[in-house]
Amino acid sequence: MPLHVVSHPLIAHKMTILRDKSTSMKKFRELVDEITLLLAYEATRELPTTEVPVETPLVQTVGRSLVHTDVILTPILRAGLGMLHGMMQIIPNARVAYIGMQRNEKTKLPETYYFNVQDHLEHSHIIVVDPMLATAGSMSGAVTLVKQKKPGSIRAICLIACPEGEARMDRDHPDVPVYVAARDERLNENAYIMPGLGDAGDRMFGTP
Ligand code: PRP
Ligand code: URA
C-alpha cells in the first residue's frame, strides 16, 4: 500500500495544536478543516485532466480542466464528517457518499450501518476520508465496500496512521494509496493511536 506522509511545516504545526488536549472543540474543527485541505491538495495530484479551450482577455489558448472528472468523497461517519468541508473547499463539485461505520468498543471491530451509492462507478474517483488509521478495520472495511462498486480509482486520506493500521491496509488493499499528515508510533491496549490525539469523533463533536 503506497503510504504518502505529507511532510510540510504548515501541516506539522497544525497537527501539534490538534494533538494538544487543551485545544478547544472549535479550534479542533478548524484545524481538521485546514489540515484536510492541505492533504487534499497532495492526494488529488494524480486526478485526470483534459485539455479545454479558454479565451483570455488577450488570446484564445488551451488550459487543463477536471471537467467530467467525477470525484466522490466518502467520509466514514462520524469523525470523517469533520474532513468533508476541507475536501469540498478544494473539490467543490465533488459528490458525497457516506459510510456509516462504528468501531465496537469491546471487540474493536467496525460495524457498518449505512452505505448508499449507485453501482457502476467505473468513471468515478473515490476519496475515503477518516482521521484515524488505527487498526484500519474501519478503513479496510470501507474500501472493501467501495470496491464492490467498481470505481475508476480509490484513495484514502487520514490525519494519523500507525504501523498496525498500515500493515492491515498493506495486506487488504495494497492497491489503495493512503495520504496522511503524520505517522505515529503504535496502538495502545485500547487500540488508540499513540501519541495520537485521543478520540477524534469525541473531540470534534463533543459527544461520546
Ligand atoms: C474512529 C475513527 C475511525 C476508527 C479508527 O471512529 O474515526 O473511524 O475509529 O479505528 P480503526 O482503524 O481501529 O477502525 P469510531 O468508530 O470511534 O466512531 P466515531 O467516528 O463515531 O467516533
Ligand atoms: N479512533 C480514534 O478516534 N482515535 C484513535 O486513536 C483510534 C481510533
Side-chain angles (χ1 to χ4, degrees):
M1 178 259 317
L3 183 84
H4 302 266
V5 183
V6 183
S7 167
H8 192 286
L10 288 177
I11 293 181
H13 177 81
K14 290 173 192 294
M15 282 298 295
T16 303
I17 307 171
L18 192 74
R19 290 179 189 277
D20 189 332
K21 68 178 184 184
S22 68
T23 294
S24 70
M25 184 174 64
K26 174 177 179 291
K27 186 72 185 163
F28 191 92
R29 289 175 180 163
E30 290 167 0
L31 287 162
V32 170
D33 206 35
E34 292 164 9
I35 297 165
T36 303
L37 190 150
L38 294 168
L39 292 175
Y41 176 77
E42 197 57 36
T44 50
R45 197 174 277 284
E46 309 296 330
L47 282 183
T49 55
T50 49
E51 280 193 352
V52 288
V54 58
E55 197 171 339
T56 77
L58 303 174
V59 70
Q60 176 84 22
T61 185
V62 176
R64 299 206 67 84
S65 169
L66 287 168
V67 177
H68 307 312
T69 300
D70 183 37
V71 176
I72 304 182
L73 306 175
T74 306
I76 302 178
L77 303 179
R78 258 179 332 169
L81 262 191
M83 299 173 72
L84 191 54
H85 181 252
M87 293 298 304
M88 289 182 89
Q89 278 183 279
I90 205 162
I91 319 173
N93 291 319
R95 298 195 286 151
V96 180
Y98 299 96
I99 295 189
M101 206 171 250
Q102 177 131 37
R103 204 169 75 148
N104 182 306
E105 285 189 7
K106 285 206 181 74
T107 64
K108 314 296 179 218
L109 297 174
E111 294 165 359
T112 305
Y113 58 87
Y114 183 81
F115 182 50
N116 193 11
V117 70
Q118 60 268 62
D119 294 329
H120 303 300
L121 297 177
E122 286 85 355
H123 301 294
S124 303
H125 302 277
I126 308 286
I127 307 181
V128 186
V129 295
D130 191 332
M132 310 305 278
L133 192 74
T135 66
S138 305
M139 182 57 78
S140 174
V143 169
T144 299
L145 284 176
V146 166
K147 278 186 173 173
Q148 290 166 7
K149 308 293 180 181
K150 304 195 184 335
S153 74
I154 309 177
R155 64 204 82 200
I157 302 182
C158 303
L159 300 185
I160 306 183
C162 63
E164 294 87 339
E166 291 167 31
R168 172 80 187 265
M169 288 302 286
D170 233 350
R171 191 189 77 200
D172 296 354
H173 302 292
D175 53 326
V176 174
V178 181
Y179 295 81
V180 301
R183 200 174 182 206
D184 278 9
E185 288 163 23
R186 61 182 173 88
L187 291 179
N188 72 7
E189 58 286 2
N190 294 316
Y192 273 79
I193 297 177
M194 299 292 280
L197 49 72
D199 191 300
D202 296 8
R203 292 195 66 186
M204 200 173 306
F205 299 115
T207 51

